Amino acid sequence: MGDNACGSLHADLELAAGETRSVTVLLGVGRRAAGAAARARFAAPGAVAAALAEVTARWHANLGALTAASGDPLFDSFLNVWNPYNCLITCAWSRAASLVYNGERDGLGYRDSVQDLLAAALLDPEQARGRMTLLLSGQESRGNAMPVVAPFRHRPGHEKPTDLHRIRSDDGLWLHQAVLNWVQETGDLAYLDREVPFADTGSATVLGHLRRAIEFTRAHRGAHGLPCGLDADWNDCLRMGHEGESVFVAFQLRQALAIYRDICLRLGRAGEATWASPLLAETDAAIARHCWDGGWFVRAFSEAGDVIGASSCREGSIFLNPQCWAVISGYDRGERGRAAMDAAHRLLGSDHGLHLCAPPFATVPCKEIRAVLFAPGTKENGGIFSQPQPWAVIAECLLGRPEHAWRIWRAFSPAHANDHAEVRQVEPYVHCQSVHGRPSRRHGNGRLPWLTGTATWAYVAATQHLLGVSPDWDGLRISPCLEPAQRRLTVRRRFRGRDFEIRIVNGATGVGVAELKLNGSVLPGDLVPLAASEASNLVEVRLN
Ligand code: IFM
C-alpha cells in the first residue's frame, strides 16, 4: 500500500543458566555460489568476530582523518563521528538505495554523487578516486553529464547521448570543485592528465573533461548571456524553460572558470589559463549587468523573459542559493555579497535555518515552478532546505562574519536540535533533506533523513571554513572563523600521510591568522607547507 517494506528474522534459542550462544545472520545479494562461499567463510570459528574487527578498524581509520576538540560537545561528537559517517554512507549508497525514492532509480544521481566527493576526498581518498573516475566517465562528449550513472551497467564510450531537453544545467559544473579538492587533498597532480572516456564516445584527460563542461555551458547561453536552465539546475523544481537562464549556474560557471584557470597556472599551462581568463571576465560582466536586483541577486530568467526571485515577484521574490553562491563563487565578497546575505537573513531567516525561498508559490503554473505542488513551507516550496544551510555558513565565513556563520550552523545542526527533538522529529545524528518552514503548520519538523548532499557540505563547512583547515597545493591552509566566546580549540588532521595537531587560539576578531608556528618555528602567512613538515606535527595558530 505504498509504505516501506520490512522483513524480520527470528531464531528460537533455549539457554541454560549461564550459557552463551551466538547467532550469525548473514544477509547479502548476489549469486548462489557467492552466497555459499560467504556462508562457508563465516562458519569458521572466529571468522565473524575477525571480519567485524576489520570493519571497525576501517571505520576508525576513516573517521580518524580529522577530529576536533572545540569546547562544544555537540559540535565535536557530530563532526568527529556522525557527520563523516553520514557522508560516507551517503557516498556509498548515493541516492540509489533510498527508501525515499522507493528504489525507483538504480543509479547515481550525477550532481549529488559529485558533491559527495568533497567529503570523501578527506575521509576515504581511494574510494573517492574510483567514484570520481566513474562519474567523469558519465560525462558526455558534448560536455554535459548523464543525469544518472548506473555503476552496474555503465558502459563508458557506448552510452546513448542524453536528449538535450533532459540535461540538467548544473551537473557537469560540480566536477571542478570536486576534482580540485581531491587533487589538493592527495597531491596527485598526475590525475589531472589521466585519460578518461566520455560516456558516449571519445575520451579526454581529466583536465579536458573540466574544460568540456565549461564549453557545454558556454555553448548554451540565453538572451542575457547567462547559462541556460535546460531541464533544471540544482533546484529540481525550477523549470526555467530550455532557453531560460539560471543565475545559480552562472555563479557555478564563474567558479568553474576560476578553478580551471588556477589549475592550469599550477600545471604551467599558461595558454589554457589565458583561454579561461576572458571567459571569466565575460561571465562576471553578464552577472553584473543582469543579476543584481538592488538588494539581492535574482534566481533566474524564464524562457518567456520573466525574472524569478526578484523583489517585483509576488511569489518567490528572493531565493537563498544565489545569495550564497555570489560569495562562494568568488563573484563578490565585498559590499554586494554582504548585502545579499543580509537580505537572506532578513527575509529568509528562522530559528530552524534559512528558507530556500519566500514567499512560497501558490499560483504559478506547475510547468514553470513544480514546487507549487508541495505545500507552502515544504521542500523546494519555501521549506528550509538543508543543503543550502552549509552554503550560507561557508558564505558567512568567506565574508568573515563568525556570528552569522555559527548561528546558522546551530540552527540546522542535527545534534543541536536534540533539545527540541519532539519538534525536529529526525534522528539527532543525521542530516535530513529539508525542514518545514514557517508557512507550514509543522514548522521545524525535519523530513527525509540520511541521503542528502547536506552531509558532505556540512562537513566541508565545518572542517574547511568554521575550523578553517583546508587542503591546498603545497600544504594546509589555515583560516578559522570563530566567535568571540570560542577562545581555543584543537584540530587533528591527516594530510598526505602526515599527522597535524593544530592548536588555535582566538584573538579579538576570530578571523585571519596573526601568527603561525610549525613545530616551534614561526612561518609567514596562513599556509602550513608540507615540505617543511614532519611525520607528526604541532601547528600553533593565533588569530587576529
Ligand atoms: O539538488 C536536488 C537533488 O539532486 C535531489 N534532491 C533535491 C535537490 C533540490 O531540488
Side-chain angles (χ1 to χ4, degrees):
M1 295 298 290
D3 284 340
N4 297 324
C6 173
S8 69
L9 300 166
H10 84 265
D12 291 328
L13 296 180
E14 280 189 28
L15 298 178
E19 185 187 352
T20 302
R21 290 168 69 185
S22 308
V23 177
T24 300
V25 179
L26 208 57
L27 294 177
V29 178
R31 305 228 173 253
R32 192 170 282 273
R39 201 167 53 188
R41 176 178 164 211
F42 289 109
V48 170
L52 184 59
E54 218 176 276
V55 168
T56 308
R58 203 179 63 218
W59 272 105
H60 279 296
N62 290 149
L63 302 185
L66 184 149
T67 56
S70 72
D72 175 352
L74 295 176
F75 179 85
D76 294 351
S77 75
F78 195 71
L79 185 77
N80 297 343
V81 180
W82 298 107
N83 195 172
Y85 184 68
N86 194 175
C87 289
L88 288 176
I89 292 292
T90 301
C91 182
W93 289 357
S94 190
R95 310 303 178 273
S98 168
L99 290 175
V100 172
Y101 293 106
N102 286 311
E104 77 192 27
R105 191 176 75 181
D106 65 347
L108 310 175
Y110 201 86
R111 74 164 74 94
D112 298 293
S113 301
V114 176
Q115 292 168 76
D116 291 343
L117 298 169
L118 291 170
L122 164 59
L123 298 166
D124 192 343
E126 275 314 300
Q127 186 192 339
R129 181 213 304 266
R131 177 60 67 80
M132 187 160 58
T133 309
L134 171 75
L135 291 166
L136 283 162
S137 79
Q139 187 191 24
E140 298 172 14
S141 54
R142 284 171 298 181
N144 63 289
M146 298 170 73
V148 172
V149 177
F152 297 112
R153 56 163 191 274
H154 184 55
R155 293 175 61 227
H158 302 279
E159 296 290 341
K160 206 166 127 250
T162 305
D163 174 356
L164 199 55
H165 291 273
R166 297 217 40 240
I167 293 172
R168 281 103 191 239
S169 48
D170 63 315
D171 277 354
L173 295 175
W174 295 106
L175 288 168
H176 300 74
Q177 202 178 345
V179 168
L180 173 70
N181 184 61
W182 186 88
V183 171
Q184 291 188 327
E185 183 64 47
T186 59
D188 183 0
L189 264 74
Y191 184 76
L192 293 162
D193 283 324
R194 177 172 167 175
E195 199 74 13
V196 178
F198 286 110
D200 50 343
T201 178
S203 75
T205 61
V206 170
L207 190 67
H209 279 260
L210 299 186
R211 178 174 171 141
R212 203 65 71 88
I214 292 171
E215 287 169 338
F216 176 82
T217 308
R218 290 208 21 104
H220 296 84
R221 282 176 298 152
H224 302 88
L226 301 165
C228 288
L230 308 181
D231 194 30
D233 65 12
W234 171 89
N235 187 327
D236 287 328
C237 297
L238 213 51
R239 304 285 150 145
M240 297 148 259
H242 202 261
E243 300 291 322
E245 291 155 289
S246 164
V247 175
F248 176 74
V249 178
F251 287 127
Q252 276 193 298
L253 174 63
R254 77 98 44 211
Q255 185 199 45
L257 281 160
I259 290 175
Y260 187 81
R261 183 192 56 189
D262 291 351
I263 293 178
C264 292
L265 288 175
R266 178 71 195 193
L267 294 176
R269 314 222 173 127
E272 281 298 291
T274 308
W275 170 78
S277 291
L279 306 186
L280 178 56
E282 197 186 324
T283 309
D284 282 354
I287 295 172
R289 207 169 310 121
H290 303 293
C291 304
W292 181 248
D293 188 42
W296 57 86
F297 291 96
V298 303
R299 179 64 175 84
F301 296 92
S302 77
E303 200 167 54
D306 298 326
V307 61
I308 299 170
S311 51
S312 57
C313 304
R314 281 188 31 236
E315 297 167 10
S317 59
I318 176 169
F319 279 72
L320 178 58
N321 289 5
Q323 320 319 326
C324 302
W325 274 80
V327 179
I328 294 173
S329 67
Y331 172 74
D332 196 318
R333 292 181 184 164
E335 205 181 314
R336 281 202 175 167
R338 278 194 300 274
M341 288 307 294
D342 286 345
H345 294 302
R346 206 170 54 247
L347 300 169
L348 300 171
S350 86
D351 288 348
H352 300 287
L354 296 151
H355 293 74
L356 186 65
C357 61
F361 295 96
T363 60
V364 293
C366 165
K367 66 176 183 2
E368 287 170 22
I369 305 217
R370 291 199 178 173
V372 75
L373 291 172
F374 298 132
T378 67
K379 290 175 61 87
E380 283 93 336
N381 195 14
I384 299 170
F385 223 86
S386 303
Q387 194 177 342
Q389 308 303 315
W391 291 343
V393 172
I394 294 171
E396 288 298 353
C397 290
L398 292 169
L399 292 174
R401 306 200 300 185
E403 282 89 350
H404 285 304
W406 284 91
R407 193 186 64 245
I408 306 163
W409 176 269
R410 290 188 193 106
F412 86 99
S413 151
H416 288 84
N418 205 22
D419 62 359
H420 51 276
E422 74 289 359
V423 178
R424 178 144 172 125
Q425 299 181 345
V426 168
E427 305 92 303
Y429 48 83
V430 64
H431 279 292
C432 62
Q433 190 207 46
S434 66
V435 170
H436 283 248
R438 211 177 266 127
S440 161
R441 274 179 299 168
R442 297 174 170 186
H443 183 35
N445 288 181
R447 286 293 179 268
L448 311 185
W450 281 106
L451 303 184
T452 161
T454 317
T456 195
W457 281 104
Y459 197 65
V460 170
T463 56
Q464 300 194 10
H465 296 274
L466 292 171
L467 301 176
V469 182
S470 330
D472 211 313
W473 297 112
D474 296 317
L476 284 172
R477 183 77 58 190
I478 311 290
S479 58
C481 187
L482 302 184
E483 289 177 308
Q486 296 167 310
R487 295 320 305 162
R488 48 184 71 232
L489 54 85
T490 303
V491 179
R492 292 192 176 77
R493 194 197 200 279
R494 204 165 55 209
F495 184 60
R496 300 190 200 165
R498 299 184 177 193
D499 292 323
F500 294 83
E501 178 175 322
I502 304 160
R503 294 186 195 155
I504 303 164
V505 178
N506 203 353
T509 68
V511 292
V513 171
E515 188 184 66
L516 180 74
K517 282 190 201 162
L518 174 61
N519 300 325
S521 306
V522 177
L523 295 175
D526 58 4
L527 186 79
V528 180
L530 190 71
S533 70
E534 294 163 17
S536 206
N537 300 277
L538 176 64
V539 179
E540 293 160 281
V541 181
R542 197 163 47 76
L543 299 183
N544 290 315

